[in-house]
Amino acid sequence: MRHKPFIPGRRLDRRTFLKASGVLGAAGAGLLPGASTVRAAETEIAAGEEIRRSICDMCCIGRCGIEVLVKEGRATRVQPFRDYPRGPICVKGQSILLQLYHPDRLQYPMKRTNPKGSARAAWQRISWDEALDTIAERLDGIRRKYGAEKVLFYAGDPKDAVRPNLQRLALKFGSPNYGTESSVCHRATVLATSLNGAGSAGLTPDTRAVILWAQNPAWAMACEMERLVQAKERGVKIIDVDPRLAPTTKLADIHLQLRPGTDGALALGMARVIINEGLYDEDFVRDWTRGFEDFRDYVQQFTPEKVETITGVAAGKLVAAARMYASNLPTGWITSAASTVHHWNGCQNHRAISAMTALTGTVAVPGMEPSIPPLSFRDITDWKTLLPPLRDKRADLKDFPVWEQFVQEIQVNRLPEYVGEGTLRAGLFVGCNYRMWPQDHLYSKAIRDMEFAAGADFWLTPTMELMDIALPAATSLERLGPIAIAERTVFLPQPVVRPIGEARGDMEWMWDLAKHMGMGADFWNGDILATLDWQLEPLGIQAADLMKEPKGMVIPPGKPQSGKPGFKTPSGKFELKSAVLEKAGFDGLPVYREPPEGPVAAPQMAGKYPLIFNTGSREPMYTHSRHRNNPRLRELQPDPKVDIHPIDARARGIQQGEDAVVETSAGGITVKANITHLAQPGVVHVYHGWPQADVNTITARTLDPISGFPAFKSQLCQVRKA
Amino acid sequence: MQRGFYIDLTVCMGCYTCTAACKNWNHIPPAATAEPGTQGPRWRRVTTVESGAWPDARIVSVSLSCMHCGKPACIQVCPANAIRKRAGDGIVIVDRDRCIGCHACASACPFGVPQYGEDGTMQKCNYCLDRVEKGQQPACVESCPPKALRAGTMEELSELAAKKAARRLVAASDPSVWIAG
């Protein structure tokens, strides 16, 4: 054949050769991929291709199994790992090799050679030993001078591979100030359901109706779609609550297209229908809830007509949805990780949504029925022992006392204040992206102002530009572990290819750092296999045995266990009225309050900025700020955009694909107009993570007082032709 | 037995996994010389169409590739005899070593399937012959998260189609595609 097959990484090499060396300055020559790492396979036929298995790390949540075809040590293509319970890989996973072999990957440890605050960082390649020695020495210096708690250990989007290991490192170092990107994602929904007492079931084979609240798995978790489609095909009723006409919405029997941030009012309105029509579970409510009478009285004001004026959802639809939800038991309840809590009243709104599971008695009382504990391995963080003695030194103690009681990591969103006040003076950042925070210049300044900062990533990202030391992290295809569990399968991914350059797995370099800090004894002297053996011990298996199982091991379920029935709340009941919140000076009931920068609470502001400004939604091809440099993904959505309804676009004379300026009181960004019915009239959606049109330069820094979460999804803006 | 595709529009989510899986499996490069975001050839393309007005608008995504037509218009116009239809399974394949890059097939194809990469020769879906000959599904079908996309003989697919009142795509070239929804 005349045409040459495309092997990821090869064609790009020449083109980006100069670019890479330009970016990396004088040290560029030392960074270019060695001949052995860019050797390309020359045939497109499967001869000689061997299947190896791993976990995809192209998003933070999927953890899907992936099969990688490897020829002569080089990954050539991928396919779903269909025997693994989690999957299949989505559009991002299908593009993973363009990440693995991207010529801009950070391949060697680097030290900064010019002052922070320079237009671009200048870097010099150093050895791992020098890098880890420097980090150990500088962090120890901070500890001696000011105290160990002045050091922040921070993990961005990466999950299992980074977080538990980093938290152990922090706690053994002596700092309780370990925090993560979950300070803006997921922890607040867990906080809300923990305050109530429990979350609820998603889809089970018995489910007859399911409510999807602010969740669009089609684009956010494609691996969940097949189960949802199958449920639809067996007749499960689907209620979709989403301000958008999202792809998943097409599966819905009822779509409640609410104004962003009014979720609480909608949920309380549905609760009123369920209570007043006698559709609630009287026995459950009597035996297992706290504050029902107060809750019942409070929701009376949320008549369907009033809720229609607040949310924009037609009264008849609300009533129909409430009846459908409460009359098709058992019902499933699927909410997004964070969309409902990206509002100023988000935690209370999410509590109101969760209350419906108690009214219908579909939330299981923990310990009531004997159940089979989920498969798990030993927790490497050891926080239960190590954190309590350090608790008083938590940076977030005074700011977010409710969070502090429930979450074993600090609420990081006041980082600029903590650095400004000297509460935090140095940091170790893994996969951090400062652009995820509202008014993000405050956060980049905070990192820059630290006396010392080191980071690990796949790339020299804008955040890595703020570091003194940069460490090259290995991707999931290049490292051993972490242990993965999906249903009853335990799987230990092994490197499918050799790491690029000197990139190292997160546990590997962190354990090595612990040795450089003189803490080797607490970290199995850097022995990864010994560590994995210790983690796996409760399962009765050893890492070496697990490594011989290319598809993992299925561990049969043990005997069902029962406990003392009761919710983990002060009353032991599901708290429609939260004792913890009352004690902390908040409303015990899940009270609805208007978004402070919304059309109702701030009509004057809405005169100037009449559109509701919703940010942070997922697109199928990107994970937050990642993958804009992945050509296979970038061609699917080349530009930052604003989704705007045809009515709003027409009123502004904006044509499809034109440049448009999105403005708030904080400033403006220029993006492409995408005129679509996905947006409802009066609401626009702007996507995050684009360096050239960074939406978090114009989002307001309004934090939920309970959770500390930013109100990313219910602010105000104007859009005009550029 | 003619092979073909089945696409369920009530389930297709416009997630582009099929597009990327196709490129991954068949080693189709991104547009290598172009700026970030420029499209290279895509053997399988996802198109999203909106209709209606708020609050009853509809957004539908459809994933399409070569239709492996019963009477392929491309074959009839190819001056280089570079395209042929396989006898057993009706899969239409192009021999890129024979192709002279004249674009006649692109003019004849009613669906705009033929595309041209940097070497100027025609390229399109080959039904993942290397997979299908090993009894596997084409990469796009194997990867589809909600299983909106299916492959098989037209007879096998007609059983699936009957359950969802799917219809055959109609054109003079007799495309081998069922569409549900």
Side-chain angles (χ1 to χ4, degrees):
Chain A
M1 283 204 170
R2 187 186 303 159
H3 72 290
K4 288 256 168 54
F6 169 68
I7 305 297
R10 195 183 56 184
R11 288 212 182 201
L12 286 169
D13 284 344
R14 298 298 303 173
R15 183 167 62 90
T16 47
F17 215 66
L18 290 171
K19 189 177 151 218
S21 51
V23 165
L24 301 170
L31 289 170
L32 298 171
S36 64
T37 59
V38 292
R39 192 181 65 233
E42 289 297 335
T43 61
E44 67 168 341
I45 308 301
E49 283 182 326
E50 177 196 348
I51 292 177
R52 295 184 190 163
R53 295 176 182 85
S54 184
I55 297 290
C56 175
D57 69 356
M58 292 290 275
C59 82
C60 52
I61 46 177
R63 302 180 181 115
C64 297
I66 186 168
E67 290 186 346
V68 183
L69 277 65
V70 177
K71 185 172 181 179
E72 294 168 14
R74 190 174 173 85
T76 53
R77 42 190 174 174
V78 300
Q79 60 186 2
F81 176 3
R82 285 282 183 185
D83 294 333
Y84 191 70
R86 187 96 172 155
I89 51 169
C90 68
V91 60
K92 298 180 282 285
Q94 292 284 356
S95 309
I96 193 171
L97 298 186
L98 290 140
Q99 169 180 277
L100 174 66
Y101 292 129
H102 198 292
D104 292 347
R105 280 277 305 277
L106 176 59
Q107 303 195 42
Y108 302 97
M110 299 282 182
K111 73 174 176 191
R112 170 187 291 277
T113 57
N114 63 349
K116 286 199 234 182
S118 309
R120 289 302 297 267
W123 298 101
Q124 183 189 341
R125 178 179 166 181
I126 55 174
S127 69
W128 269 101
D129 268 343
E130 184 184 343
L132 297 180
D133 269 338
T134 307
I135 295 170
E137 192 185 307
R138 295 294 303 273
L139 296 187
D140 187 50
I142 301 282
R143 176 165 57 184
R144 283 164 192 269
K145 198 166 164 190
Y146 308 107
E149 72 277 9
K150 303 292 178 189
V151 179
L152 171 68
F153 292 78
Y154 179 87
D157 206 34
K159 301 288 189 298
D160 315 14
V162 168
R163 294 186 172 191
N165 306 334
L166 188 66
Q167 187 168 20
R168 181 182 183 86
L169 196 64
L171 294 172
K172 290 285 184 186
F173 179 82
S175 175
N177 291 320
Y178 156 78
T180 73
E181 153 275 354
S182 292
S183 279
V184 303
C185 184
H186 193 50
R187 293 278 185 228
T189 50
V190 176
L191 179 63
T193 51
S194 301
L195 285 163
N196 283 5
S200 183
L203 274 174
T204 71
D206 301 327
T207 305
R208 292 178 58 222
V210 64
I211 192 157
L212 287 169
W213 203 297
Q215 170 68 299
N216 176 31
W219 289 356
M221 287 181 88
C223 56
E224 294 290 327
M225 279 314 294
E226 190 183 348
R227 286 195 319 140
L228 200 57
V229 168
Q230 283 171 348
K232 174 81 183 171
E233 286 177 356
R234 66 172 181 265
V236 174
K237 304 281 186 205
I238 297 178
I239 304 158
D240 183 43
V241 185
D242 196 319
R244 300 174 305 164
L245 185 59
T248 312
T249 307
K250 73 178 77 166
L251 299 178
D253 294 275
I254 298 180
H255 177 207
L256 306 178
Q257 196 171 15
L258 76 176
R259 166 164 67 94
T262 64
D263 309 67
L266 185 63
L268 295 168
M270 290 176 74
R272 181 183 179 277
V273 173
I274 293 169
I275 292 169
N276 290 6
E277 295 191 2
L279 298 171
Y280 69 101
D281 183 334
E282 283 184 51
D283 292 344
F284 185 92
V285 164
R286 182 189 61 239
D287 297 342
W288 289 109
T289 65
R290 173 184 191 261
F292 175 69
E293 286 75 20
D294 289 344
F295 181 81
R296 181 193 59 205
D297 294 348
Y298 175 61
V299 301
Q300 292 311 313
Q301 62 183 285
F302 293 93
T303 61
E305 294 71 27
K306 183 180 170 189
V307 174
E308 179 172 337
T309 64
I310 297 172
T311 63
V313 172
K317 272 195 179 180
L318 177 148
V319 173
R323 287 175 185 159
M324 182 181 278
Y325 179 74
S327 317
N328 289 283
L329 301 177
T331 43
W333 189 79
I334 299 174
T335 63
S336 133
S339 303
T340 52
V341 290
H342 281 165
H343 304 283
W344 173 73
N345 196 51
C347 188
Q348 294 287 39
N349 287 353
H350 198 79
R351 286 187 62 227
I353 300 166
S354 149
M356 292 197 304
T357 67
L359 296 178
T360 50
T362 51
V363 58
V365 181
M368 185 74 126
E369 299 287 335
S371 62
I372 295 163
L375 200 58
S376 66
F377 47 85
R378 198 177 266 153
D379 175 21
I380 200 114
T381 70
D382 206 10
W383 69 267
K384 284 181 184 165
T385 311
L386 300 174
L387 183 57
L390 302 171
R391 174 187 169 266
D392 293 346
K393 294 175 180 171
R394 281 180 68 145
D396 62 340
L397 203 55
K398 290 201 182 72
D399 295 325
F400 303 106
V402 176
W403 168 286
E404 186 276 327
Q405 288 176 59
F406 286 86
V407 189
Q408 294 83 44
E409 58 186 60
I410 65 162
Q411 170 45 277
V412 192
N413 292 344
R414 298 193 75 244
L415 181 67
E417 286 78 11
Y418 299 153
V419 174
E421 295 155 3
T423 307
L424 297 172
R425 291 174 178 274
L428 180 58
F429 296 86
V430 187
C432 176
N433 168 33
Y434 77 80
R435 287 200 169 111
M436 72 167 200
W437 281 291
Q439 293 302 297
D440 53 15
H441 64 280
L442 300 173
Y443 294 82
S444 59
K445 179 178 184 305
I447 299 170
R448 193 184 306 119
D449 286 350
M450 285 182 155
E451 290 180 30
F452 176 77
D457 210 309
F458 302 153
W459 328 93
L460 286 173
T461 62
T463 306
M464 291 287 275
E465 289 269 314
L466 307 169
M467 303 295 162
D468 295 285
I469 299 280
L471 303 174
T475 65
S476 64
L477 304 184
E478 302 163 291
R479 69 183 178 225
L480 175 64
I483 303 161
I485 283 181
E487 296 174 11
R488 302 299 307 176
T489 299
V490 55
F491 172 56
L492 181 55
Q494 297 168 67
V496 301
V497 290
R498 280 181 47 208
I500 290 291
E502 293 181 0
R504 293 173 78 181
D506 297 293
M507 181 185 266
E508 193 190 340
W509 71 257
M510 285 184 207
W511 266 218
D512 200 3
L513 176 60
K515 278 166 66 185
H516 283 258
M517 288 171 154
M519 307 193 295
D522 286 331
F523 291 81
W524 295 267
N525 291 312
D527 185 338
I528 304 296
L529 286 178
T531 310
L532 296 172
D533 282 344
W534 180 85
Q535 287 185 278
L536 288 165
E537 204 181 321
L539 296 174
I541 47 180
Q542 290 209 311
D545 296 328
L546 196 48
M547 286 164 73
K548 287 178 200 148
E549 301 291 338
K551 296 184 178 183
M553 279 170 146
V554 177
I555 310 285
K559 280 189 188 149
Q561 293 176 7
S562 38
K564 186 168 171 284
F567 293 94
K568 282 183 190 163
T569 54
S571 62
K573 295 182 174 182
F574 190 102
E575 298 202 343
L576 295 168
K577 193 172 183 180
S578 164
V580 172
L581 286 179
E582 284 178 305
K583 201 176 162 194
F586 296 105
D587 294 309
L589 291 170
V591 168
Y592 173 70
R593 292 179 202 282
E594 274 289 325
E597 290 137 11
V600 177
Q604 246 186 329
M605 191 178 176
K608 192 169 177 198
Y609 300 106
L611 296 169
I612 293 172
F613 176 43
N614 188 307
T615 70
S617 290
R618 290 281 178 106
E619 293 183 279
M621 69 294 287
Y622 298 129
T623 305
H624 304 311
S625 62
R626 295 177 61 191
H627 311 323
R628 301 310 192 287
N629 61 355
N630 188 310
R632 186 174 290 153
L633 295 171
R634 183 70 179 271
E635 72 165 52
L636 298 169
Q637 177 56 50
D639 301 303
K641 63 170 181 173
V642 53
D643 287 342
I644 184 168
H645 191 274
I647 293 172
D648 294 323
R650 206 176 307 130
R652 289 162 177 78
I654 296 172
Q655 305 290 319
Q656 174 67 18
E658 273 186 346
D659 280 348
V661 180
V662 181
E663 282 172 327
T664 71
S665 52
I669 57 169
T670 303
V671 294
K672 299 283 182 203
N674 181 42
I675 301 171
T676 172
H677 289 92
L678 181 126
Q680 63 175 295
V683 181
V684 297
H685 302 267
V686 184
Y687 296 84
H688 60 297
W690 291 91
Q692 68 271 50
D694 175 2
V695 76
N696 278 326
T697 58
I698 63 167
T699 48
R701 197 165 171 241
T702 307
L703 306 182
D704 179 333
I706 298 173
S707 68
F709 269 45
F712 284 127
K713 296 193 182 299
S714 44
Q715 302 187 8
L716 290 171
C717 72
Q718 178 59 293
V719 176
R720 61 172 171 82
K721 265 174 98 107
Chain B
M1 295 277 245
Q2 175 70 49
R3 284 182 163 271
F5 291 109
Y6 166 97
I7 170 80
D8 186 345
L9 304 189
T10 66
V11 175
C12 176
M13 298 288 153
C15 74
Y16 299 103
T17 303
C18 51
T19 299
C22 170
K23 288 196 159 199
N24 159 72
W25 192 259
N26 294 296
H27 299 299
I28 305 170
T33 56
E35 289 302 303
T38 310
Q39 294 182 12
R42 294 181 203 176
W43 294 359
R44 180 164 281 286
R45 289 180 284 205
V46 177
T47 307
T48 298
V49 180
E50 302 195 7
S51 57
W54 191 82
D56 298 311
R58 250 186 114 208
I59 304 179
V60 173
S61 294
V62 57
S63 164
L64 294 172
S65 70
C66 174
M67 316 280 177
H68 300 283
C69 298
K71 294 173 232 157
C74 55
I75 293 181
Q76 293 166 35
V77 299
C78 178
N81 282 331
I83 313 170
R84 72 184 174 93
K85 187 169 174 65
R86 286 166 42 118
D89 50 27
I91 295 171
V92 177
I93 53 173
V94 56
D95 182 344
R96 287 168 72 180
D97 287 336
R98 280 174 170 262
C99 174
I100 57 172
C102 69
H103 290 222
C105 52
S107 320
C109 173
F111 304 104
V113 165
Q115 292 171 64
Y116 304 84
E118 287 187 334
D119 70 356
T121 65
M122 192 270 265
Q123 53 178 291
K124 65 165 200 71
C125 162
N126 63 9
Y127 209 84
C128 284
L129 270 179
D130 58 339
R131 297 181 63 91
V132 172
E133 284 178 348
K134 281 193 272 179
Q136 298 171 322
Q137 297 285 328
C140 53
V141 172
E142 171 71 10
S143 70
C144 178
K147 289 200 157 70
L149 195 59
R150 312 287 180 108
T153 65
M154 289 307 277
E155 205 171 275
E156 287 164 355
L157 296 177
S158 70
E159 288 169 30
L160 207 57
K163 283 187 213 158
K164 279 251 186 172
R167 60 195 188 281
R168 277 289 290 272
L169 200 60
V170 179
S173 63
D174 189 23
S176 307
V177 172
W178 286 100
I179 300 217

